[in-house]
Amino acid sequence: MSTKLQTENSFLEKTFKLKENKTNVKTEILAGVTTFMTMAYILVVNPDILSATGMDFNALFTATALSAAIATIAMAFLANYPFALAPGMGLNAFFAFTVVIGMGYSWEFALTAILIEGIIFLLLTFFNVREALVNSIPLNIKHAVSVGIGLFIALIGFKNAKIVTAYESTLVTLGDLGSPGVLLALVGLVITGILLAKKVKGALLIGIVATTAIGIPLGITPMPSQIISAPPSLAPIFFKFDFSQIFSLDMLIVVFTFLFVDLFDTLGTLVGVASKADMLDKDGKLPKAKQALFADAIGTTVGACLGTSTVTTYVESASGVAEGGRTGLTALTSGVLFALSLFLAPLFLIVPSEATAPVLILVGLFMMTPITKIDLEDYTEAIPAFLTIVMMPFTFSIAEGIVFGIMSYVFLKLFTGKGKDVSIIMYALTGIFILKHFVEKLI
């Protein structure tokens, strides 16, 4: 047994370069479990959103889990990064409520747009276009992306726990602190905070499990009727494409919008989480960005064939990084758990949002550390960084935060006589952003 264990560890060390990344098998697996637990909600939320179009809910569950598993495992072996992927929030809402319900197209039409997007991303990645975009972003904005994502994640946590709720006059307000769900989330926040303060290994995961258990007597955590079940059939949505309108103007607009949002959501997540994990090199570039983006493009293309919306890198990957995840072994663990969830859905799906919300809130704190690296003395650097940070939570979009950061950077540099500091790619991106908002007017 000892020899077998040494062989397994040797394989993992050789494959994922654990010592080189100053980590170990236990830490990586724990980080992968934590990442999975914080994003397992997508297994229910994605089918819930897409089923509004008439797609089969049970088939969507299988497509969600399978596409997440394939894309995340691809990330593990192609890029050796601790990032997990799944059908993206926001993109699934655009798919369902704008393209299908709003514009009146079939969900088969929308899936075809996703397939085209995935193929275009594969080509853009192959020719290093997406990697060039990642590397063109100024270092201060890269650090700001990490901080902005932190605030964005924290807001998601507060929203999921209903600690913060919508309010017409002020947009947001404090929720009902006396409700059982809010109280459970606050208790979970205290428990997880204490574990972190005491430097308990696996604090985030332990916090999720403990909060889930406390939720049972409160009636918030449901007891599973069974533990193991067969995966629902993919047949109702598998490979259901509609190529009859592939050359229409509406198809062009829909594909462009999917491309834009996915490109900059993924870019922001990769850069932000990599910045927090100290994965950026001395020039602020992300090594193996091309491989990471390939995994993302593969996920989208495969996801479309399986029957789900755009697959993208998840910001919740930061929770695994916060637990010490530094290599593809973290991603592999998350990917395997997504695969297992196909058979263990009743068990995984009992974890309430109130149990994962405290982790998201605290991960927001962890993502704040790069703010100390931002140059706040030069206003042509500080203002774009600030707008990047605040616009992510204020617009509930990583992509829009990047748009405001890049555009303000270009305009401030250009009109203060520092236009030479701006790369051609940054100028091109600004033009694309302006075009994108013009195109949106046509929808």
Side-chain angles (χ1 to χ4, degrees):
M1 181 64 72
S2 177
T3 303
K4 181 181 179 182
L5 185 61
Q6 287 177 354
T7 302
E8 290 174 350
N9 286 338
S10 176
F11 169 76
L12 294 175
E13 169 59 40
K14 182 179 179 180
T15 304
F16 299 110
K17 299 179 173 57
L18 303 179
K19 289 182 181 178
E20 180 181 320
N21 288 282
K22 299 177 182 178
T23 185
N24 55 59
V25 173
K26 180 180 178 182
T27 298
E28 293 292 301
I29 291 177
L30 191 60
V33 173
T34 301
T35 294
F36 171 79
M37 294 295 284
T38 57
M39 60 185 286
Y41 68 86
I42 196 62
L43 293 169
V44 174
V45 175
N46 191 58
D48 185 54
I49 290 174
L50 295 184
S51 61
T53 67
M55 300 175 77
D56 184 85
F57 182 95
N58 291 333
L60 283 167
F61 173 85
T62 301
T64 302
L66 200 53
S67 62
I70 292 170
T72 304
I73 291 172
M75 178 69 76
F77 289 106
L78 289 177
N80 193 26
Y81 279 150
F83 305 139
L85 301 89
M89 292 294 293
L91 289 160
N92 51 13
F94 177 77
F95 179 108
F97 300 115
T98 299
V99 178
V100 179
I101 296 174
M103 298 176 69
Y105 284 103
S106 67
W107 56 263
E108 290 91 345
F109 171 94
L111 278 181
T112 307
I114 300 295
L115 176 67
I116 295 171
E117 177 206 354
I119 294 171
I120 292 173
F121 269 165
L122 284 170
L123 292 173
L124 291 178
T125 305
F126 180 78
F127 290 108
N128 299 320
V129 176
R130 295 178 80 191
E131 185 177 11
L133 291 174
V134 172
N135 292 331
S136 71
I137 296 179
L139 187 57
N140 277 312
I141 292 184
K142 285 180 177 174
H143 293 319
V145 166
S146 177
V147 179
I149 287 176
L151 294 179
F152 182 65
I153 292 176
L155 178 59
I156 292 173
F158 283 119
K159 175 179 174 291
N160 289 353
K162 294 183 174 61
I163 296 173
V164 172
T165 60
Y167 189 67
E168 185 176 351
S169 299
T170 58
L171 298 183
V172 293
T173 189
L174 187 65
D176 180 8
L177 297 185
S179 69
V182 172
L183 286 174
L184 177 62
L186 291 174
V187 168
L189 187 61
V190 172
I191 290 173
T192 310
I194 291 171
L195 293 170
L196 286 169
K198 290 184 171 294
K199 301 187 185 323
V200 175
K201 199 68 175 175
L204 299 181
L205 179 58
I206 294 171
I208 291 173
V209 174
T211 308
T212 299
I214 295 171
I216 295 175
L218 295 176
I220 295 172
T221 303
M223 294 300 293
S225 57
Q226 56 183 346
I227 295 177
I228 299 175
S229 63
S233 171
L234 271 175
I237 58 174
F238 181 71
F239 235 85
K240 301 291 186 180
F241 297 118
D242 176 11
F243 294 105
S244 63
Q245 301 179 75
I246 193 171
F247 297 113
S248 67
L249 177 61
D250 280 340
M251 178 64 81
L252 177 63
I253 292 172
V254 170
V255 170
F256 179 85
T257 305
F258 275 132
L259 274 169
F260 179 88
V261 178
D262 186 22
L263 174 62
F264 290 98
D265 263 8
T266 299
L267 186 152
T269 301
L270 285 176
V271 169
V273 178
S275 173
K276 167 60 186 171
D278 291 325
M279 292 176 179
L280 302 179
D281 63 22
K282 58 183 178 63
D283 297 318
K285 295 181 179 180
L286 178 64
K288 295 180 293 184
K290 182 174 183 176
Q291 293 90 324
L293 293 168
F294 254 128
D296 179 86
I298 289 170
T300 293
T301 308
V302 172
C305 296
L306 294 173
T308 186
S309 55
T310 305
V311 174
T312 187
T313 306
Y314 255 62
V315 71
E316 282 84 354
S317 302
S319 62
V321 170
E323 280 288 5
R326 292 294 180 272
T327 75
L329 183 54
T330 292
L332 177 61
T333 302
S334 298
V336 169
L337 288 174
F338 271 116
L340 288 175
S341 69
L342 288 166
F343 305 94
L344 302 173
L347 184 62
F348 283 122
L349 298 181
I350 68 168
V351 178
S353 59
E354 291 86 353
T356 56
V359 170
L360 297 177
I361 293 168
L362 291 170
V363 166
L365 165 66
F366 304 151
M367 296 292 290
M368 297 292 288
T369 51
I371 200 169
T372 59
K373 302 175 184 177
I374 297 173
D375 180 5
L376 298 177
E377 299 298 322
D378 181 348
Y379 285 114
T380 64
E381 297 282 344
I383 292 174
F386 172 73
L387 290 175
T388 301
I389 291 169
V390 299
M391 291 306 290
M392 286 187 187
F394 288 170
T395 62
F396 213 73
S397 169
I398 295 172
E400 295 300 345
I402 293 175
V403 167
F404 273 85
I406 289 178
M407 290 185 70
S408 60
Y409 180 88
V410 169
F411 288 133
L412 284 169
K413 291 290 187 182
L414 183 62
F415 294 117
T416 56
K418 299 180 180 179
K420 291 182 179 179
D421 294 346
V422 182
S423 68
I424 294 175
I425 292 178
M426 292 287 282
Y427 282 117
L429 285 176
T430 300
I432 291 172
F433 296 154
I434 294 172
L435 176 63
K436 178 255 185 184
H437 285 285
F438 171 76
V439 169
E440 284 182 339
K441 298 293 183 181
L442 299 175
I443 298 180

